[in-house]
Amino acid sequence: MTSAESTPFSLEPSEDVREVREWVHEFARDVIRPAAEEWDEREETPWPLIQEASKVGLYSLDFFATQWLEPSGLGIPVAFEELFWGDAGIALSIVGTGLAAASVAAVGTPEQVTEWVPQMFGTTDDVKLGAFCASEPDAGSDVGSIRARAVFDEAKDEWVLNGTKTWATNGGIADVHVVVASVHPDLGSRGQASFIVPPGTPGLKQGQKFKKHGIRASHTAEVILDNVRIPSHLIVGGKEKFDERIARVREGKSAKGQAAMKTFETTRPSVGAMALGVGRAAYDYALQYAQEREQFGKKIGDFQAIAFKLADMKCQLDAARLMVWRAAWMARTGKDFENAEGSMAKLMASEMSVRVTEEAIQILGGNGYTREYPVERMHRDAKIFTIFEGTSEIQRLVIGRTVTGLPVR
């Protein structure tokens, strides 16, 4: 019997993961939750809370790197579930930089990772932000339609970026922007690359800041690129490797890696964990409410109609968590998503979150529809998870193509 065969199967997180879960939960309970309503109403970046997260080590490169490298793959999903249980808008302000960091860490050179990823977080005394800019007004789900251009100026050994990005978390206020642009438009998504735009680079500015339905404490805006010039070495992964990849594509050979999708593939289970946290928060509140609220002389949880709702909510939450954990474990241990397990986890968790938060409102009745109770905010927050980093429709398309092997359209 091999050592692998003799190892008992367990879904119990390691002691390290459990300690992180408790630590993050305490921060979410004691720091994030008391401020959630205020920052939702203000619709502003909660700098004081990001600062507090930095002080305790939650907003730091060390924290993200340690959790990404946790052997079981559960470090990030567990931490994100707890943060978003606190509040989605504030939590996204704390973890939003991670998407830009992941995009560089996934395909960047060692030198790029060492130099630029730390600059996205800054220090406890001087907090910084990162922004990943992929979507455009006419290229959301269809990343192959990206129009932002990157042209190489050989005389000056620089890339020149032009275009408009939209729906960018931390867009315009970030210190480091990672921008997906088309270098060879005739190749569609295969001709795209990501570029690091350093702080204070002339030509990059914030466009419209969006007023959103939910996650309102997270900054979302357009990023305008007007003849933005950056050194040639700031193409993520290096120019030499990019040129080699383009040559393979033009020869008709397969080429691994694509600027936006490579990032999304690695983060979809994490987005599922975010949705899971919001859904669990709504379930927790509805459960407590049902145990305390009285109608017709007894607790409303005693009514089968309410008990059945809670039962379904709990089942959906636990099922989604298992899918998120499986996808995270597969990604961490190098197992291929043969059935698009990353997309499956994100799809199920995001749609579950919308259903569960809606049922929480129903259980609270009129109270649930008011801003005096948090489930109304949770319901607004939940909807974004069915949209960003790949809509539910895109996830189904990815899964459908994977399981059938056919070009589903």
Side-chain angles (χ1 to χ4, degrees):
M1 180 177 291
T2 66
S3 59
E5 291 172 334
S6 62
T7 301
F9 175 76
S10 175
L11 288 173
E12 180 66 29
S14 68
E15 182 178 352
D16 287 344
V17 172
R18 294 198 303 271
E19 288 179 356
V20 167
R21 178 168 58 192
E22 183 178 349
W23 171 48
V24 178
H25 181 80
E26 289 177 357
F27 184 84
R29 181 193 64 207
D30 300 337
V31 180
I32 294 179
R33 279 209 163 181
E37 181 181 359
E38 174 190 351
W39 290 97
D40 177 70
E41 293 289 344
R42 291 175 63 165
E43 297 191 53
E44 298 174 359
T45 300
W47 288 104
L49 296 169
I50 299 174
Q51 186 77 45
E52 287 300 311
S54 179
K55 287 179 181 178
V56 300
L58 263 175
Y59 185 78
S60 69
L61 173 59
D62 181 65
F63 172 76
F64 279 87
T66 300
Q67 299 314 309
W68 274 116
L69 296 174
E70 193 280 323
S72 70
L74 299 185
I76 286 291
V78 166
F80 279 15
E81 178 180 340
E82 298 306 325
L83 279 173
F84 282 75
W85 174 88
D87 176 70
I90 294 173
L92 191 57
S93 287
I94 293 173
V95 308
T97 292
L99 186 58
S103 70
V104 175
V107 295
T109 65
E111 295 78 14
Q112 289 172 339
V113 175
T114 300
E115 180 177 2
W116 293 104
V117 175
Q119 292 191 48
M120 296 182 191
F121 293 93
T123 65
T124 299
D125 297 325
D126 187 18
V127 170
K128 306 292 186 182
L129 298 176
F132 182 68
C133 307
S135 295
E136 296 182 1
D138 295 318
S141 297
D142 183 10
V143 294
S145 296
I146 285 177
R147 295 182 180 179
R149 288 294 311 277
V151 177
F152 187 60
D153 184 342
E154 293 188 18
K156 295 186 177 181
D157 196 32
E158 293 177 334
W159 292 98
V160 184
L161 277 59
N162 283 283
T164 298
K165 294 295 178 178
T166 194
W167 307 312
T169 299
N170 298 334
I173 66 171
D175 298 273
V176 180
H177 289 75
V178 180
V179 177
V180 180
S182 178
V183 182
H184 301 281
D186 60 307
L187 298 179
S189 62
R190 296 177 299 170
Q192 296 170 1
S194 292
F195 299 85
I196 298 168
V197 182
T201 301
L204 185 150
K205 64 180 181 179
Q206 178 184 311
Q208 175 187 4
K209 177 186 175 183
F210 295 104
K211 297 178 71 67
K212 305 187 299 295
H213 177 64
I215 56 168
R216 302 199 310 194
S218 174
H219 176 95
T220 309
E222 290 180 328
V223 174
I224 298 172
L225 307 157
D226 183 10
N227 287 322
V228 172
R229 287 182 169 270
I230 58 174
S232 63
H233 66 271
L234 292 185
I235 179 173
V236 177
K239 187 174 185 301
E240 182 177 346
K241 184 178 290 187
F242 175 74
D243 289 342
E244 291 174 356
R245 177 162 66 87
I246 294 301
R248 290 196 299 272
V249 171
R250 293 203 183 282
E251 292 172 3
K253 300 177 181 178
S254 63
K256 293 182 179 180
Q258 193 264 62
M261 296 313 297
K262 184 71 174 179
T263 300
F264 294 150
E265 287 169 8
T266 61
T267 58
R268 277 175 179 158
S270 302
V271 176
M274 298 175 189
L276 183 61
V278 177
R280 194 186 105 212
Y283 166 78
D284 288 350
Y285 197 93
L287 175 61
Q288 181 179 355
Y289 187 90
Q291 292 169 331
E292 298 174 354
R293 171 76 166 176
E294 291 191 6
Q295 290 286 278
F296 305 103
K298 59 182 179 180
K299 309 295 186 185
I300 64 170
D302 284 343
F303 292 102
Q304 189 181 78
I306 302 301
F308 277 16
K309 285 183 183 297
L310 291 165
D312 287 343
M313 292 160 73
K314 180 61 173 173
C315 287
Q316 292 171 44
L317 279 162
D318 282 12
R321 182 180 295 106
L322 287 172
M323 294 190 73
V324 167
W325 283 16
R326 178 185 66 171
W329 170 77
M330 291 179 69
R332 180 65 185 92
T333 55
K335 300 188 184 302
D336 292 335
F337 286 165
E338 294 183 356
N339 293 294
E341 285 85 356
S343 290
M344 290 168 67
K346 197 265 188 185
L347 172 67
M348 294 300 290
S350 61
E351 297 206 337
M352 172 280 298
S353 191
V354 172
R355 290 193 300 271
V356 167
T357 53
E358 181 177 9
E359 287 288 59
I361 290 177
Q362 195 70 22
I363 289 172
L364 268 68
N367 286 334
Y369 198 67
T370 71
R371 293 193 181 181
E372 300 300 316
Y373 291 79
V375 292
E376 177 271 342
R377 182 181 68 251
M378 294 168 184
H379 184 53
R380 287 189 285 109
D381 290 342
K383 185 57 189 173
I384 190 59
F385 300 108
T386 67
I387 299 173
F388 73 0
E389 292 201 49
T391 64
S392 289
E393 290 73 25
I394 289 295
Q395 307 307 326
R396 288 187 169 90
L397 184 64
V398 171
I399 297 165
R401 285 176 174 172
T402 303
V403 298
T404 64
L406 300 174
V408 178
R409 294 181 176 85

